Amino acid sequence: MLCNSAVLKVASRCNLNCSYCYMYNMGDESFKLQPKLMSEGVVTALIQKVRNHLLKYESDRFSFIFHGGEPMLAPPSWYEFFDAEVQRILKPVGITADYYMQTNATLVDDEWCRVFGKLDIRPGFSMDGTRASHDTYRLDHAGRGSYESVVKGIQTYQRHFHSAAVILVLNVDEDPIEIYEHFKSLK
């Protein structure tokens, strides 16, 4: 069966401690036994397996979705290495790679935006509705809300790329019109 995308757990840690996180707050502590970041050896082996798979099924496009924990805990150099391996292993056989990332946006800055543009990584940002709802659930490890950091990250991204894809984790107790107006105000 052809597979044309993979969600990659780039980082096994997160800089937030969301109360509803299935990885870190539901009793599974196996992440503590995992490396903090995907190793370069695993990256190379993965891309070689993708190459072999796509050649077998005569496919020429693959999507890598960077996830975590928080994928931006891996430094920009990690993504540059990943892309260099894609160029070395996939490009010579005519395979195109697309990059996506799901991030909490708290680490987005001008340097990350340069990396997004250079490597054509298309991030999606996670946010939980209004400030009150977001800061109820999406806390840092000191128990502080992360709303301000997320909005700052999204606005930084918008300065470079003029738009942003946001995934809303909807609190069903929150007024949907208020959520809509809030996201509209953030553009």
Side-chain angles (χ1 to χ4, degrees):
M1 178 172 25
L2 172 65
C3 174
N4 61 7
S5 66
V7 176
L8 308 180
K9 187 171 182 169
V10 171
S12 61
R13 305 298 192 276
C14 189
N15 61 331
L16 294 184
N17 189 27
C18 303
S19 62
Y20 54 72
C21 182
Y22 62 92
M23 280 301 301
Y24 306 109
N25 287 309
M26 298 295 170
D28 179 359
E29 295 189 352
S30 62
F31 70 92
K32 293 178 180 178
L33 303 173
Q34 299 169 356
K36 291 182 180 179
L37 299 176
M38 183 183 288
S39 73
E40 290 183 355
V42 170
V43 167
T44 299
L46 167 74
I47 295 169
Q48 288 171 336
K49 286 190 178 287
V50 166
R51 176 189 182 274
N52 295 342
H53 176 78
L54 294 179
L55 290 174
K56 177 181 176 179
Y57 288 97
E58 300 177 358
S59 184
D60 64 355
R61 185 166 222 111
F62 196 85
S63 295
F64 294 98
I65 301 111
F66 304 120
H67 212 277
E70 171 50 48
M72 290 178 68
L73 290 176
S77 59
W78 186 94
Y79 293 93
E80 289 164 347
F81 173 81
F82 191 99
D83 183 63
E85 288 296 89
V86 163
Q87 299 309 314
R88 183 178 74 80
I89 297 168
L90 298 183
K91 190 173 183 180
V93 294
I95 297 171
T96 301
D98 297 307
Y99 302 141
Y100 302 91
M101 178 187 287
Q102 191 57 46
T103 175
N104 60 37
T106 60
L107 301 174
V108 174
D109 59 15
D110 292 328
E111 172 62 16
W112 271 107
C113 288
R114 183 194 66 76
V115 172
F116 292 150
K118 176 184 173 187
L119 302 180
D120 197 21
I121 298 173
R122 287 158 273 183
F125 305 111
S126 301
M127 188 175 216
D128 289 7
T130 64
R131 175 194 301 264
S133 183
H134 184 92
D135 280 349
T136 297
Y137 302 103
R138 287 187 169 262
L139 307 173
D140 66 16
H141 290 278
R144 298 176 302 241
S146 61
Y147 177 87
E148 287 294 327
S149 296
V150 171
V151 169
K152 180 181 176 188
I154 292 171
Q155 289 172 338
T156 299
Y157 184 84
Q158 288 172 321
R159 278 198 315 275
H160 289 268
F161 301 101
H162 308 295
S163 66
V166 176
I167 291 179
L168 170 63
V169 179
L170 181 64
N171 178 345
V172 296
D173 295 325
E174 201 169 21
D175 178 4
I177 301 299
E178 186 178 345
I179 294 170
Y180 170 76
E181 292 297 335
H182 176 70
F183 274 77
K184 188 175 165 186
S185 75
L186 295 174
K187 297 182 172 100

